[in-house]
Structure formats: C-alpha cells, structure tokens
Amino acid sequence: MSDRVIIFDTTLRDGEQSPGASMNTAEKLRLAIQMEKLGVDVLEAGFPAASEGDFESVSQIAGKIRNMEVAALCRAAKSDIDKAWGAVQQAVKPRIHTFIATSDIHMKYKLNMDRDQVVTAAVEAVRYARSLTDNVEFSAEDGSRSDRDFLCRVFEAAITAGATTVNLPDTVGYAVPDEFADLVRYVMAHTPNMGQAVLSVHCHNDLGLATANTIAAITAGARQAEVTINGIGERAGNTSLEEVVMALHTRRNILPMTTGIRTNLIYPTSRLVSMITGIMVQPNKAIVGANAFAHEAGIHQDGVLKNPMTYEIMSPETVGISANRLVLGKHSGRHALRSHLKEMGYDLSDDELNIVFTKFKELADKKKTLVDEDLEVIVTEGILRSADTFKMEYLHVTAGTTVLPMASVKMGINGRSIIGAGYGNGPIDATFNTIAKLTGTASELLRFSISALTDGTDAQGEVTVRLRENGLVALGKGADPDIITASAKAYVNGLNRLEYLKTHPSNTREMV
Ligand code: KIV
Ligand code: ZN
C-alpha cells in the first residue's frame, strides 16, 4: 500500500458552510491559488447546484488552476451532476464528487428511500459521472452511522460503476478513533474491489475528535484525508489540514506516511483563510493559534532557550512562522512590493498594484515596518473586496471624557456619496449608528471582537463583527492602526457580505 496520503481540501465548500463564512468569487480564487502553492492534491471548489455564485466560482477556479485536481460536489442526481460537470469540466484535472446518505436514519427520514433504491441511485450517479470524466469520487454520507455491511455493498457497487475514490464520512462527528479505525479496516476487508479505488475519510469535529479519527483511519489504511484550513466547517468544523499534516510530519517514526504539503506555507494560508472568511483562529489552536509556540512558564522559557526541543515538538519555522520575516517600510519601492507580493502568491495587474502601492505608502506613513499580515490586509481590502456595494469614504470621530461621542461619515453607496452624522454610547457605537443610518441596514450586531494583528504598539487593530439580518449571518473583518477605523471597516465589510448573501442565495446548508 502506498504511504502517500492524498490531501483533499474542502475549505471552499464544507469550510464555507461555517456560519457567516461566505466568500465571494475573487476571494475563493485567491484561496484556490494559495491551496495550489501549499501543495493540496485535490481542491473541492464548491457545490455548483447550490447557487449561481457557487457555479461561477467553481468554473473560474477550474479555468485558473493548472496542477491541482479541482472537484465539484453534487448529489446523486443527474441535474446536479450536470451542473457540477458544467462548472468543473474546463479544469486540467477535474473530479466529480457525488454523494448520497447510507445510514438508516438518513435514508428513512431525509431521503425516504430504502437500501435498494439508494444503491441504485449511487450506481446511476457514478456511472453517469464516469461517462463525463474518469475521475469520480463517491461519498456515503453519514457513513460512520451506516450498517457496515450495507456500506460495503454500496462501496462495492460504486466502484464497479466506476468510482475511483470512495469516501467514508463521519458526517455528524459521532465516531471515536478506535471504532473508526476498526470501521475502515472492516470496509477494506469486506469490499471485494476496494483495491481498485482510494479509500478516503471525511470527519467532523462535533466531539473534538476529527483529527484523531482521521489519523486513526489513515493508520488503518485510508489514503485520502478530507480537511479544511483552520478546521473551519459546518457546526464544530471539519478535520483541520494543519493538524493532520503536522501529525504525520512530526510523528513519522510511528506514522510513516507522507503528504505533498509544503509545511512552511501552512501559517500564511491559515492567516489568509482567517482574513478572507472573517473567522478568527482561537489562540490555543494547535499549529496555527497565536499561542501555539508561545512559552509562558519561566521553566519552559528557560528550557527553550537552552534547546528549543525541550518544549517544542516542531519548530515555528516549519509551519511558516518566522521570527525574521521580510519587512518592508516607507522607502521600499514598487518593484520590491510587487516581487514580495508575488512570493506571497499575489500576481497583481498594473492597476491592482497601483491601488495596493498607494495603500501601502499610506500605511507605511503610520507604521514603521510592514510585514506579510499587513500586506495581506491591504490586498484583501483593496483588491478582493472591489465589488462592494458600500464603501466608507470618510470617517471623523470625536470622543473623550467630556464630550458626547460623535461620528461624521461619508459613504459611497452604489457609486453615490452620502454624508451623515450621529452619536452613541462611545466612539464605536456612534460610528456604527451613523453607518447604519446611511446604509439603511436592518442588521443586528451579534458579536464584536478586536485584537492586535502583529506585535508592537503601532500594530494594526484587527476587528471582527458578526451581523444578522432576516436569518442571514455574515462576518466582517477590518484592520487599521486606528481601532475606530478598523471597527468601521469591519462593520462595512459585514454589511457588504450581507448584501452579497442577499444577491447570491445559497441553499448549500439545506442540501448537505
Ligand atoms: O459531511 C459530509 O458527509 C459531507 C459529504 C458531502 C462528503 O460533507
Ligand atoms: Zn462534511
């Protein structure tokens, strides 16, 4: 058996099912390019039948990516498969990923189908997909709660119909590692033609066991891991890419399997996903959390200074966290900026570079040195969000111990500028009230959080807001050395994401 584990990333599909994490096409394309650089083998770009927006982003990604396989998800139905193929067919290496539920509870209550009908639907879907491409993945949704022998029967039929990968999901995050590994071994031993397909696993983190279950499954013989960056995804999320990859990398003495991931790009990719989706990484998150390599206890600090391996099982540099990052300052020229952005994965047109360069100079006037995180913010805010409905053109705030907090704001709304002023409980409240009045939003602010983007007192404040309007939830993110401006940017970004959701309705969550 091969010792190479195929990394299948579903940040753009299952990851996007995290509440509030919707991404626009430009953002998805940017992430796809980063995933390719990271060394992901298969990228699940979306669920084309779910919405026009999903169709559009899958086709754009399929048209751009050259080396990585691009997969499109679809239910086991001809019309869904046609949509998936329509979107993904121009990829150099396309994959159709079709699924149907196989657990008794899903078949009875969700599908209203019996076992024979499910086998027939799976076979027809795979056969049809196989008539379009020779790269077909079949998933048995809620596989971990399915009858074992029925699961083997479905997999055998799917492989006979042409599936080249069969995926065993722990859809509701119910499995525990020994049990899941045992299921993988059972399926491998009792599916007669399993040798003709790759066995994949796809775990959710409802019990915090997604990574453990994935590693257990790999140990038992699975050779594709379905994962997301930062573990984002439906409910408690999916297996996190960085945890699986670094577990295999760090413990290769007992887990002798490899991946194609360039581990030094893990941290920049994690930052990018957080920046684009607005979902912050918890500080104690393994591998990519702010505290993952921070040693607080004196005895630990002393040990690490003497020999890092006393308390560090991997070095921060291995995952791309470097103490000596290249920094740019206000004297850096356009050429240095362009080539550094290129290294970061941004191949900008001349017009885009002009926008970024102007913003770079503005920020460099306020902040001595700019590191990758700062540049990431400039590009995300300046380029990837260019199709926004609302733009903040001007903000002036007065606040203090003896004055009523007041904000004056000029907003560009669909190309028209309007000005307004308002007050509030504090400067942020005053700013949000004024923006709300100007944009006429009916949204409610569910959450507001702020942290420093980098070290130092001149660091940019990074703000995340969560907004809700008529059942739609959107996250907004903004950064600026001035925390009131950062808050306003995050709020406006959240409002723009709500607008995007209104015009790009996606019923993915109801479908999967
Ligand atoms: O969790 C799940 O079962 C899925 C499938 C569509 C693979 O996301
Ligand atoms: Zn899933």
Side-chain angles (χ1 to χ4, degrees):
M1 181 184 293
S2 158
D3 64 1
R4 174 74 150 76
V5 176
I6 297 165
I7 297 295
F8 175 115
D9 183 280
T10 183
T11 305
L12 297 183
R13 199 278 298 169
D14 227 340
E16 205 202 15
Q17 288 175 225
S18 308
S22 65
M23 299 169 239
N24 67 32
T25 300
E27 292 168 335
K28 285 188 179 173
L29 199 53
R30 166 67 191 113
L31 272 183
I33 293 166
Q34 181 68 18
M35 298 296 184
E36 186 167 46
K37 273 181 72 188
L38 178 65
V40 160
D41 298 292
V42 188
L43 177 77
E44 185 159 67
F47 189 171
S51 71
E52 285 297 317
D54 250 40
F55 186 94
E56 178 58 25
S57 21
V58 175
S59 17
Q60 288 216 18
I61 291 168
K64 177 91 183 171
I65 295 299
R66 307 302 341 133
N67 301 316
M68 184 172 56
E69 283 183 37
V70 181
L73 183 69
C74 49
R75 288 169 295 188
K78 186 171 178 299
S79 58
D80 260 42
I81 298 170
D82 283 335
K83 280 257 161 102
W85 184 239
V88 85
Q89 63 180 327
Q90 51 171 328
V92 175
K93 300 177 192 169
R95 177 183 290 201
I96 294 177
H97 177 193
T98 185
F99 73 96
I100 191 163
T102 52
S103 65
D104 288 337
I105 184 166
H106 275 230
M107 288 189 290
K108 180 169 175 195
Y109 294 102
K110 193 178 90 169
L111 299 176
N112 195 18
M113 287 165 87
D114 65 24
R115 289 185 177 189
D116 290 344
Q117 288 171 313
V118 165
V119 174
T120 305
V123 166
E124 281 175 2
V126 171
R127 201 174 281 146
Y128 182 55
R130 197 51 213 258
S131 73
L132 305 168
T133 172
D134 58 8
N135 189 357
V136 176
E137 171 166 342
F138 168 75
S139 280
E141 191 191 7
D142 206 17
S144 60
R145 293 194 302 168
S146 303
D147 176 85
R148 289 182 165 205
D149 292 317
F150 179 59
L151 193 56
C152 297
R153 182 181 155 203
V154 179
F155 279 162
E156 182 183 0
I159 295 168
T160 305
T164 40
T165 301
V166 286
N167 181 36
L168 169 44
D170 182 26
T171 302
V172 290
Y174 181 71
V176 296
D178 281 352
E179 174 199 37
F180 199 53
D182 190 53
L183 178 60
V184 166
R185 275 189 287 269
Y186 189 89
V187 165
M188 292 187 69
H190 294 86
T191 307
N193 50 2
M194 187 54 89
Q196 296 165 35
V198 172
L199 180 60
S200 167
V201 287
H202 171 117
C203 299
H204 280 266
N205 206 28
D206 300 67
L207 293 172
L209 293 171
T211 298
N213 285 335
T214 301
I215 295 290
I218 291 170
T219 311
R223 282 296 173 269
Q224 175 175 285
E226 302 202 352
V227 292
T228 61
I229 299 288
N230 299 338
I232 64 169
E234 185 82 34
R235 305 182 310 279
N238 288 57
T239 305
S240 101
L241 178 148
E242 60 277 11
E243 292 174 12
V244 170
V245 168
M246 290 315 291
L248 297 180
H249 184 90
T250 309
R251 298 309 314 275
R252 44 188 176 251
N253 55 333
I254 57 156
L255 298 168
M257 297 91 180
T258 58
T259 71
I261 295 297
R262 295 177 189 101
T263 61
N264 62 331
L265 292 180
I266 285 180
Y267 182 68
T269 310
S270 157
R271 282 284 321 152
L272 187 64
V273 168
S274 168
M275 189 65 220
I276 284 181
T277 59
I279 301 178
M280 286 181 119
V281 175
Q282 73 192 67
N284 58 324
K285 167 83 180 62
I287 320 293
V288 291
N291 297 343
F293 294 92
H295 303 280
E296 195 67 23
I299 196 165
H300 290 201
Q301 289 170 350
D302 183 53
V304 168
L305 285 175
K306 289 176 176 147
N307 180 345
M309 288 299 146
T310 49
Y311 285 100
E312 273 178 9
I313 57 168
M314 58 200 148
S315 75
E317 287 78 14
T318 314
V319 296
I321 302 174
S322 162
N324 306 314
R325 285 171 304 174
L326 181 77
V327 291
L328 298 170
K330 70 174 175 189
H331 300 298
S332 308
R334 192 180 290 263
H335 182 71
L337 179 65
R338 182 190 283 263
S339 70
H340 190 63
L341 287 170
K342 201 160 184 185
E343 267 172 44
M344 289 171 67
Y346 294 106
D347 211 349
L348 302 186
S349 67
D350 287 346
D351 285 349
E352 289 172 335
L353 185 70
N354 286 343
I355 298 172
V356 171
F357 191 64
T358 308
K359 289 187 177 293
F360 166 75
K361 286 286 177 187
E362 279 166 17
L363 186 58
D365 271 338
K366 299 182 192 160
K367 192 172 182 282
K368 251 199 325 262
T369 50
L370 273 64
V371 293
D372 289 1
E373 284 91 333
D374 295 308
L375 299 183
E376 207 73 80
V377 168
I378 293 176
V379 177
T380 310
E381 291 184 352
I383 306 291
L384 301 180
R385 292 182 190 161
S386 51
D388 288 347
T389 310
F390 305 122
K391 275 195 183 355
M392 190 179 64
E393 296 175 351
Y394 167 94
L395 171 69
H396 179 85
V397 180
T398 47
T401 49
T402 52
V403 289
L404 180 68
M406 292 282 301
S408 334
V409 184
K410 184 168 163 193
M411 293 289 302
I413 303 181
N414 285 324
R416 208 167 52 87
S417 293
I418 27 173
I419 302 174
Y423 64 91
N425 235 343
I428 293 175
D429 192 37
T431 304
F432 283 18
N433 288 344
T434 311
I435 294 173
K437 202 164 60 183
L438 291 176
T439 55
T441 179
S443 64
E444 158 194 18
L445 178 67
L446 299 179
R447 204 188 66 205
F448 173 93
S449 60
I450 182 159
S451 59
L453 186 59
T454 52
D455 296 342
T457 49
D458 67 347
Q460 300 199 68
E462 186 179 33
V463 174
T464 306
V465 297
R466 179 186 285 264
L467 304 176
R468 182 170 57 201
E469 184 178 345
N470 289 333
L472 297 174
V473 174
L475 294 168
K477 209 157 183 166
D480 198 274
D482 176 308
I483 57 171
I484 313 295
T485 305
S487 307
K489 283 182 177 175
Y491 188 47
V492 173
N493 177 232
L495 294 177
N496 278 315
R497 285 177 185 269
L498 277 177
E499 289 306 302
Y500 182 81
L501 287 177
K502 286 181 208 165
T503 49
H504 293 77
S506 164
N507 42 3
T508 315
R509 212 157 286 128
E510 280 143 39
M511 296 170 105
V512 186

